[in-house]
Amino acid sequence: MLKILCPTDLTDHTSNSLIYANDLAKKSDTEIIVLHSFFIPPPLPAGTKVKSPEDVYHYGQKMLQERCEEFVNQYISSETQSKCIVRRGFVLEEILKVIKEENIDIIFMNTEGAHGLKELFPGTITSKIIENVLCPVLVIPENHTFHPLDDIVYATDMKGNEKENISFAFKFASIFNAKVTFLNISKKLTPKEQEAFKAKMSEEASVHNYQSIDFVIIESSNVFDALTNFVESNDSKLLILSTRKRPVYQRLFQKSLTRRMAHHAFVPVLAMHKE
Protein backbone atom coordinates (compact mmCIF):
# COMPACT_ATOMS: atom_id res chain seq x y z
CA MET A 1 0.00 0.00 0.00
CA LEU A 2 1.18 3.49 -0.91
CA LYS A 3 0.87 6.00 1.94
CA ILE A 4 0.45 9.67 1.02
CA LEU A 5 0.80 12.50 3.53
CA CYS A 6 -1.09 15.73 2.75
CA PRO A 7 -0.30 18.61 5.12
CA THR A 8 -3.11 21.17 5.14
CA ASP A 9 -4.07 24.46 6.73
CA LEU A 10 -7.76 23.62 6.12
CA THR A 11 -8.18 26.32 3.46
CA ASP A 12 -9.06 25.87 -0.22
CA HIS A 13 -5.48 26.83 -1.03
CA THR A 14 -4.39 23.33 0.02
CA SER A 15 -7.23 21.47 -1.69
CA ASN A 16 -5.22 20.63 -4.84
CA SER A 17 -2.98 18.24 -2.96
CA LEU A 18 -6.06 16.30 -1.84
CA ILE A 19 -7.50 16.28 -5.38
CA TYR A 20 -4.27 14.83 -6.80
CA ALA A 21 -3.97 12.33 -3.95
CA ASN A 22 -7.56 11.21 -4.46
CA ASP A 23 -6.95 10.71 -8.18
CA LEU A 24 -3.95 8.51 -7.44
CA ALA A 25 -5.92 6.55 -4.82
CA LYS A 26 -8.57 5.69 -7.44
CA LYS A 27 -5.86 3.97 -9.49
CA SER A 28 -3.85 2.15 -6.81
CA ASP A 29 -3.92 0.71 -3.30
CA THR A 30 -3.41 3.92 -1.37
CA GLU A 31 -4.08 5.48 2.01
CA ILE A 32 -4.24 9.27 2.31
CA ILE A 33 -3.22 10.76 5.65
CA VAL A 34 -4.18 14.40 6.10
CA LEU A 35 -2.23 16.35 8.71
CA HIS A 36 -3.17 19.65 10.28
CA SER A 37 -0.88 21.10 12.94
CA PHE A 38 -1.58 24.13 15.08
CA PHE A 39 0.27 26.10 17.71
CA ILE A 40 -2.39 28.63 18.68
CA PRO A 41 -5.81 27.04 19.33
CA PRO A 42 -8.85 28.43 17.52
CA PRO A 43 -11.36 30.63 19.38
CA LEU A 44 -13.80 28.50 21.36
CA PRO A 45 -17.58 28.98 21.10
CA ALA A 46 -19.05 31.45 23.55
CA GLY A 47 -19.99 29.81 26.83
CA THR A 48 -17.40 27.01 26.61
CA LYS A 49 -16.28 26.26 30.15
CA VAL A 50 -12.57 25.69 30.64
CA LYS A 51 -10.60 25.19 33.84
CA SER A 52 -7.06 25.50 32.53
CA PRO A 53 -5.02 26.48 29.44
CA GLU A 54 -4.78 22.78 28.58
CA ASP A 55 -8.57 22.67 28.35
CA VAL A 56 -8.38 25.40 25.72
CA TYR A 57 -6.00 23.26 23.63
CA HIS A 58 -8.11 20.13 24.23
CA TYR A 59 -11.34 21.73 23.01
CA GLY A 60 -9.49 23.52 20.22
CA GLN A 61 -8.00 20.27 18.96
CA LYS A 62 -11.41 18.61 19.03
CA MET A 63 -12.87 21.46 16.96
CA LEU A 64 -10.04 21.28 14.45
CA GLN A 65 -10.39 17.49 14.15
CA GLU A 66 -14.05 17.91 13.16
CA ARG A 67 -13.15 20.73 10.76
CA CYS A 68 -10.38 18.62 9.20
CA GLU A 69 -12.73 15.68 8.58
CA GLU A 70 -15.32 17.98 7.00
CA PHE A 71 -12.62 19.52 4.78
CA VAL A 72 -11.32 16.12 3.67
CA ASN A 73 -14.82 14.88 2.82
CA GLN A 74 -15.11 17.68 0.26
CA TYR A 75 -12.17 16.42 -1.80
CA ILE A 76 -11.58 12.75 -1.02
CA SER A 77 -14.13 10.15 -2.06
CA SER A 78 -15.71 7.91 0.56
CA GLU A 79 -14.25 4.83 -1.17
CA THR A 80 -10.71 6.08 -0.57
CA GLN A 81 -8.98 4.99 2.61
CA SER A 82 -8.07 8.13 4.51
CA LYS A 83 -7.72 9.61 7.97
CA CYS A 84 -7.15 13.00 9.59
CA ILE A 85 -4.45 13.72 12.14
CA VAL A 86 -4.59 16.99 14.10
CA ARG A 87 -1.53 17.79 16.18
CA ARG A 88 -0.43 20.60 18.45
CA GLY A 89 3.03 21.68 17.33
CA PHE A 90 5.13 23.26 14.60
CA VAL A 91 4.38 22.16 11.04
CA LEU A 92 7.78 20.74 10.04
CA GLU A 93 8.28 18.92 13.34
CA GLU A 94 4.87 17.27 13.15
CA ILE A 95 5.37 16.30 9.51
CA LEU A 96 8.66 14.57 10.38
CA LYS A 97 6.97 12.72 13.25
CA VAL A 98 4.06 11.51 11.11
CA ILE A 99 6.40 10.38 8.31
CA LYS A 100 8.11 8.08 10.79
CA GLU A 101 5.01 6.94 12.66
CA GLU A 102 2.93 6.18 9.55
CA ASN A 103 5.75 5.00 7.24
CA ILE A 104 4.86 7.66 4.66
CA ASP A 105 5.97 6.98 1.07
CA ILE A 106 5.33 10.39 -0.48
CA ILE A 107 4.11 13.88 0.49
CA PHE A 108 1.61 15.85 -1.59
CA MET A 109 1.45 19.56 -0.82
CA ASN A 110 0.63 22.94 -2.30
CA THR A 111 2.89 25.93 -2.41
CA GLU A 112 2.75 29.64 -3.08
CA GLY A 113 5.17 31.42 -5.36
CA ALA A 114 8.33 32.74 -3.72
CA HIS A 115 9.74 36.18 -4.34
CA GLY A 116 12.84 38.13 -3.33
CA LEU A 117 14.30 37.16 0.02
CA LYS A 118 11.80 34.30 0.41
CA GLU A 119 13.35 32.67 -2.64
CA LEU A 120 16.94 33.34 -1.61
CA PHE A 121 16.55 32.13 1.96
CA PRO A 122 14.81 28.79 2.45
CA GLY A 123 12.21 30.05 4.90
CA THR A 124 9.02 28.69 3.37
CA ILE A 125 7.49 25.51 4.68
CA THR A 126 7.73 23.92 1.23
CA SER A 127 11.48 24.57 1.02
CA LYS A 128 12.08 23.26 4.51
CA ILE A 129 10.16 20.07 3.79
CA ILE A 130 12.03 19.42 0.53
CA GLU A 131 15.36 19.98 2.31
CA ASN A 132 14.59 17.92 5.42
CA VAL A 133 12.52 14.87 4.47
CA LEU A 134 13.90 11.79 2.76
CA CYS A 135 10.73 10.67 1.00
CA PRO A 136 9.61 12.19 -2.34
CA VAL A 137 7.62 15.45 -2.19
CA LEU A 138 5.04 16.34 -4.84
CA VAL A 139 4.62 20.12 -4.90
CA ILE A 140 1.55 21.55 -6.64
CA PRO A 141 1.61 25.21 -7.76
CA GLU A 142 -0.75 27.83 -6.43
CA ASN A 143 -4.01 28.12 -8.44
CA HIS A 144 -3.08 25.06 -10.51
CA THR A 145 -5.87 23.28 -12.39
CA PHE A 146 -5.92 19.50 -12.05
CA HIS A 147 -4.65 17.46 -15.01
CA PRO A 148 -4.02 13.70 -15.15
CA LEU A 149 -0.29 12.99 -14.75
CA ASP A 150 0.05 11.19 -18.09
CA ASP A 151 3.11 13.04 -19.47
CA ILE A 152 6.13 13.12 -17.17
CA VAL A 153 9.53 14.77 -17.59
CA TYR A 154 12.42 13.36 -15.56
CA ALA A 155 15.23 15.92 -15.61
CA THR A 156 18.69 14.61 -14.79
CA ASP A 157 22.23 15.95 -14.77
CA MET A 158 23.57 12.37 -14.77
CA LYS A 159 25.50 13.04 -11.56
CA GLY A 160 25.17 11.03 -8.41
CA ASN A 161 23.21 7.84 -7.80
CA GLU A 162 19.66 8.09 -9.13
CA LYS A 163 18.75 4.39 -9.33
CA GLU A 164 16.23 4.51 -6.49
CA ASN A 165 14.69 7.73 -7.81
CA ILE A 166 14.35 6.36 -11.33
CA SER A 167 12.81 3.19 -9.94
CA PHE A 168 10.27 5.24 -7.96
CA ALA A 169 9.58 7.39 -11.03
CA PHE A 170 8.71 4.33 -13.14
CA LYS A 171 6.45 2.92 -10.43
CA PHE A 172 4.74 6.28 -10.08
CA ALA A 173 4.38 6.71 -13.85
CA SER A 174 2.94 3.21 -14.27
CA ILE A 175 -0.02 4.16 -12.05
CA PHE A 176 -1.03 6.76 -14.66
CA ASN A 177 0.20 4.87 -17.76
CA ALA A 178 2.32 7.94 -18.39
CA LYS A 179 4.97 8.63 -20.97
CA VAL A 180 8.35 9.40 -19.33
CA THR A 181 10.79 11.74 -21.07
CA PHE A 182 14.34 11.76 -19.73
CA LEU A 183 15.73 15.25 -20.16
CA ASN A 184 19.33 16.40 -19.86
CA ILE A 185 20.28 20.06 -20.08
CA SER A 186 23.96 20.98 -20.15
CA LYS A 187 26.38 23.35 -21.83
CA LYS A 188 27.64 20.65 -24.16
CA LEU A 189 27.66 16.87 -24.38
CA THR A 190 29.91 14.97 -26.73
CA PRO A 191 28.26 12.39 -29.01
CA LYS A 192 29.74 9.69 -26.79
CA GLU A 193 28.22 11.27 -23.67
CA GLN A 194 24.85 11.59 -25.41
CA GLU A 195 24.87 7.90 -26.30
CA ALA A 196 25.90 7.00 -22.74
CA PHE A 197 22.94 9.01 -21.41
CA LYS A 198 20.46 7.24 -23.67
CA ALA A 199 21.97 3.83 -22.94
CA LYS A 200 21.81 4.37 -19.18
CA MET A 201 18.17 5.46 -19.22
CA SER A 202 17.21 2.67 -21.64
CA GLU A 203 18.81 0.14 -19.31
CA GLU A 204 16.81 1.45 -16.35
CA ALA A 205 13.59 1.33 -18.39
CA SER A 206 14.36 -2.25 -19.43
CA VAL A 207 14.91 -3.31 -15.82
CA HIS A 208 11.44 -2.03 -14.96
CA ASN A 209 9.90 -3.25 -18.22
CA TYR A 210 8.74 0.27 -19.06
CA GLN A 211 8.09 0.95 -22.73
CA SER A 212 6.75 4.48 -23.06
CA ILE A 213 9.96 6.51 -22.81
CA ASP A 214 11.79 9.20 -24.75
CA PHE A 215 15.14 11.02 -24.52
CA VAL A 216 15.83 14.72 -25.03
CA ILE A 217 19.15 16.53 -24.76
CA ILE A 218 19.20 20.34 -24.75
CA GLU A 219 22.36 22.41 -25.00
CA SER A 220 22.02 25.44 -22.74
CA SER A 221 23.89 27.26 -19.99
CA ASN A 222 20.63 28.39 -18.36
CA VAL A 223 19.11 25.22 -16.93
CA PHE A 224 16.16 26.92 -15.26
CA ASP A 225 14.96 28.72 -18.41
CA ALA A 226 15.58 25.72 -20.68
CA LEU A 227 13.73 23.41 -18.32
CA THR A 228 10.80 25.80 -17.96
CA ASN A 229 10.54 26.32 -21.72
CA PHE A 230 10.64 22.59 -22.43
CA VAL A 231 7.92 21.73 -19.92
CA GLU A 232 5.71 24.56 -21.17
CA SER A 233 6.14 23.94 -24.88
CA ASN A 234 5.53 20.19 -24.53
CA ASP A 235 2.52 20.59 -22.23
CA SER A 236 4.11 18.24 -19.70
CA LYS A 237 1.99 17.38 -16.68
CA LEU A 238 4.69 16.56 -14.10
CA LEU A 239 8.35 17.45 -13.66
CA ILE A 240 10.61 15.16 -11.63
CA LEU A 241 13.82 16.57 -10.17
CA SER A 242 16.48 15.02 -7.95
CA THR A 243 18.24 17.19 -5.40
CA ARG A 244 21.29 16.57 -3.25
CA LYS A 245 21.33 17.01 0.50
CA ARG A 246 23.38 20.18 1.07
CA PRO A 247 25.19 21.71 4.05
CA VAL A 248 23.40 24.53 5.89
CA TYR A 249 25.69 27.29 4.53
CA GLN A 250 24.92 26.20 0.95
CA ARG A 251 21.19 26.17 1.66
CA LEU A 252 21.44 29.76 2.90
CA PHE A 253 23.35 31.24 0.00
CA GLN A 254 22.75 28.96 -2.99
CA LYS A 255 19.38 28.66 -4.70
CA SER A 256 18.61 25.00 -5.32
CA LEU A 257 17.21 24.36 -8.80
CA THR A 258 14.67 21.96 -7.29
CA ARG A 259 13.52 24.51 -4.73
CA ARG A 260 13.38 27.25 -7.36
CA MET A 261 11.33 25.09 -9.73
CA ALA A 262 9.01 24.02 -6.91
CA HIS A 263 8.17 27.67 -6.26
CA HIS A 264 7.95 28.90 -9.86
CA ALA A 265 6.79 25.94 -11.94
CA PHE A 266 3.29 25.97 -13.43
CA VAL A 267 3.06 22.15 -13.29
CA PRO A 268 3.47 19.84 -10.28
CA VAL A 269 7.08 19.11 -9.34
CA LEU A 270 8.13 15.82 -7.75
CA ALA A 271 11.29 16.42 -5.71
CA MET A 272 13.50 13.55 -4.58
CA HIS A 273 16.89 13.34 -2.87
CA LYS A 274 19.86 11.55 -4.36
CA GLU A 275 23.33 10.69 -3.13
Side-chain angles (χ1 to χ4, degrees):
M1 173 180 283
L2 185 71
K3 284 195 169 187
I4 302 175
L5 175 62
C6 295
T8 178
D9 60 6
L10 304 182
T11 66
D12 289 339
H13 166 69
T14 54
S15 62
N16 256 337
S17 61
L18 300 184
I19 293 171
Y20 270 95
N22 188 58
D23 181 66
L24 188 151
K26 292 177 182 178
K27 299 175 173 65
S28 65
D29 185 18
T30 299
E31 180 182 12
I32 301 172
I33 298 169
V34 180
L35 171 66
H36 176 71
S37 62
F38 70 99
F39 195 71
I40 299 174
L44 301 183
T48 304
K49 294 181 179 180
V50 295
K51 296 180 179 179
S52 68
E54 284 304 313
D55 284 348
V56 176
Y57 279 100
H58 171 75
Y59 285 113
Q61 185 163 357
K62 185 177 179 181
M63 287 173 55
L64 289 170
Q65 183 72 35
E66 293 173 356
R67 194 180 301 171
C68 184
E69 291 170 2
E70 291 173 1
F71 180 74
V72 168
N73 289 338
Q74 295 179 55
Y75 301 102
I76 297 180
S77 60
S78 57
E79 296 81 15
T80 298
Q81 186 173 344
S82 65
K83 68 178 177 182
C84 294
I85 297 176
V86 175
R87 294 277 185 85
R88 174 184 172 185
F90 293 107
V91 176
L92 182 58
E93 292 177 2
E94 297 308 317
I95 286 174
L96 293 174
K97 289 177 186 176
V98 172
I99 288 174
K100 185 176 181 179
E101 294 166 3
E102 299 288 343
N103 295 314
I104 297 298
D105 296 298
I106 185 170
I107 298 173
F108 281 31
M109 64 183 300
N110 289 74
T111 187
E112 294 183 0
H115 306 282
L117 290 177
K118 280 188 177 180
E119 181 185 0
L120 180 60
F121 294 99
T124 67
I125 293 299
T126 306
S127 295
K128 289 180 179 179
I129 291 172
I130 291 174
E131 293 283 0
N132 286 279
V133 305
L134 296 179
C135 65
V137 181
L138 179 65
V139 181
I140 302 161
E142 184 183 18
N143 300 323
H144 177 72
T145 302
F146 171 81
H147 295 286
L149 302 179
D150 54 7
D151 194 317
I152 297 174
V153 174
Y154 186 108
T156 174
D157 58 6
M158 298 189 297
K159 297 175 183 177
N161 186 351
E162 294 186 65
K163 279 188 175 293
E164 288 188 12
N165 291 358
I166 293 172
S167 176
F168 186 91
F170 279 131
K171 291 175 183 176
F172 193 80
S174 66
I175 297 173
F176 303 97
N177 294 317
K179 173 187 173 183
V180 180
T181 299
F182 289 99
L183 173 66
N184 175 264
I185 301 172
S186 56
K187 291 181 180 179
K188 186 168 178 126
L189 287 182
T190 66
K192 185 176 181 180
E193 289 171 329
Q194 293 182 26
E195 289 305 314
F197 165 65
K198 294 178 181 179
K200 181 180 179 181
M201 297 302 109
S202 295
E203 181 182 353
E204 293 293 341
S206 178
V207 168
H208 295 87
N209 195 29
Y210 208 86
Q211 305 296 322
S212 184
I213 61 172
D214 196 7
F215 313 98
V216 175
I217 298 172
I218 297 175
E219 186 174 320
S220 175
S221 58
N222 191 325
V223 177
F224 179 82
D225 285 349
L227 190 53
T228 301
N229 291 337
F230 180 85
V231 170
E232 183 175 15
S233 61
N234 288 274
D235 196 25
S236 304
K237 300 302 188 297
L238 174 67
L239 172 63
I240 299 179
L241 293 170
S242 293
T243 184
R244 294 181 186 84
K245 200 76 170 162
R246 299 176 303 152
V248 173
Y249 72 90
Q250 287 186 2
R251 280 183 263 162
L252 285 174
F253 298 107
Q254 295 180 12
K255 290 184 285 188
S256 157
L257 173 65
T258 302
R259 194 175 77 238
R260 192 177 176 196
M261 288 301 302
H263 282 298
H264 291 281
F266 43 86
V267 299
V269 174
L270 180 58
M272 295 188 283
H273 286 290
K274 67 177 178 179
E275 297 177 5

